Amino acid sequence: MPTDCISYQNSGYFTPLINDYLDQKPELKPLYHRFPTLANFKEQLDEKQANYPVENRAVLVKALEQQYLNSAASATTTLNIAALANPNTFTITTGHQLNLFTGPLYFLYKIISTINLCDQLKNTYPEFHFVPVYWMATEDHDFAEINYFNFKNTKVKWNKDSQGPVGRLSTDGLEEVYHLFEKELGPGENATKLKELFHNSYLKHHNLADATRYLANELFGDKGLVIVDGDHKELKQLFSPYVKKELLEQTSFKKVSSTNTLIEKQYAIQVNPRPINLFYIEDQLRERIVFENQQYHINNTELWFTEKEMIHLLEQEPEKFSPNVILRPLYQEVILPNLCYIGGGGELAYWLQLKANFEANHTAFPILLLRNSALLVTQKQAEKADTLNLSWNDLFSNQQLLFTRKTAELSQFDLDFTPQKEFLKQQFAQLTTIATQTDKSFLGAVKAQEIKQLKGLENLEKRLLKAEKRVYTEKLERILLLQNELFPNQSLQERKANFSQFFLEHGASLIDSIRGELNPLDSNFSIITL
């Protein structure tokens, strides 16, 4: 198989902001605290230990024990939850939506990156304990983003109305989805395991949060993964002073807006803050809190509160206040003894907007680490790449550029007419010298002829390339087929395919195979041959 490496920066799949962050460009330094290196974690440990109240640990452990009452936590996870009471225990966290049956492959990569980093930190700092955490985005509401997954060429979709926080959503209706998936899987031992996993996750739990916790626990519980649901009254009570500050002072709007002014000079802005970055939530309701006419209004409802009433509500029912994308990271870092957040490029882009708000709230800003990205390749596909003389750089390339480059390699002719164009320009340079010494109309004729003949050469160059592509159609189509297998819809496999497609072939060893290849501190795509 090809042996070349593809860095994230050279892959073509990350924004200039993330590429510059990975390259540690000096101009981005004000947007983050410490870059993710093993050495930098020691200072992060010291800072978080001093910054995180010991009493928060007891609240966190009690909340997690309550959340796991109806879930069979593994022995390792149970030990990790208990260990969070210890001042020498810290978390490494990733977060993700409650995608149906995990959604795209990168759900696995996020969690495996988190687990592997905990192992690396334990080896480096054995006097501390590190717990991998999956933060479930139970308070999100964009159901259309999570109600499906792709299995091979089939979109397995859950059709249902959803209005409130998705974690509270009833799993009614997933039996139909199960039967559709069951037919797609067909017979076999691995198919049976996938059916059981889906059935036990979604048909034996009453809401989407419990179903997702069960599913993630089945996949990663033996690795000690701790799953956190922020939609919890006691955890919200810990955060209520920050909610009060948001309601009264609107600090996050000021701080993030100021940061955005700096970022937008060179990069695209990922998220924009609102004057109040909070939602009001109930089982069937998730609406923004807005300040209008000296009162707090729950958008699109008849609910209005005076300042006194709103603060009283916060004190009595903090679970009704939900942070949006701007404040959710602060909530996470307040309730967890967390050192590092692991996320995708889009996530890190909005985290880079938040450091000033963390400072204003006197909360340690975590290390930001781009999750691992990987490409799963079968042995047969790797052999095809060798046969077709393709590197991984070739396969990551834009399809049209790849076709042109490979046609040029296959052709017995030089398809680049640059020498001819340069020769033509030299000839016309001589004619132009003559033209400048005679009538201006002749100079114009020389320039027009130069443009015409250069254009003619360019057309001939394109026609030769097109002709050669026809000559090598069969081989180019094989290249196209392989690239489309590995990059569905010319996108990253990890953003389209679901793990079940590969589990069906490789079974439970799939996760261990991936885990053995991912190094969270390495900024190269992992090419994993199954």
Side-chain angles (χ1 to χ4, degrees), residues 2 11 61 63-64 121 193 225 231 339 344-345 392 478 483 524:
S11 69
V61 170
L64 288 170
L121 289 171
K193 290 178 181 177
L225 181 71
D231 189 6
L339 303 175
W392 294 125
R478 289 165 62 199
Q483 192 186 49
N524 291 307

Side-chain angles (χ1 to χ4, degrees), residues 24-60:
Q24 301 183 60
K25 292 288 182 67
E27 55 267 32
L28 288 182
K29 187 64 181 75
L31 303 182
Y32 63 94
H33 197 26
R34 296 183 179 94
F35 195 75
T37 65
L38 284 175
N40 282 345
F41 272 94
K42 183 59 175 73
E43 289 184 4
Q44 193 74 23
L45 278 161
D46 294 339
E47 181 181 8
K48 189 66 180 185
Q49 197 164 40
N51 185 265
Y52 184 73
V54 175
E55 53 269 24
N56 286 18
R57 291 182 178 273
V59 177
L60 175 62

Side-chain angles (χ1 to χ4, degrees), residues 337-353:
N338 195 51
L339 303 175
C340 173
Y341 183 77
I342 298 178
E347 290 175 281
L348 262 57
Y350 71 72
W351 273 88
L352 289 168
Q353 298 173 235

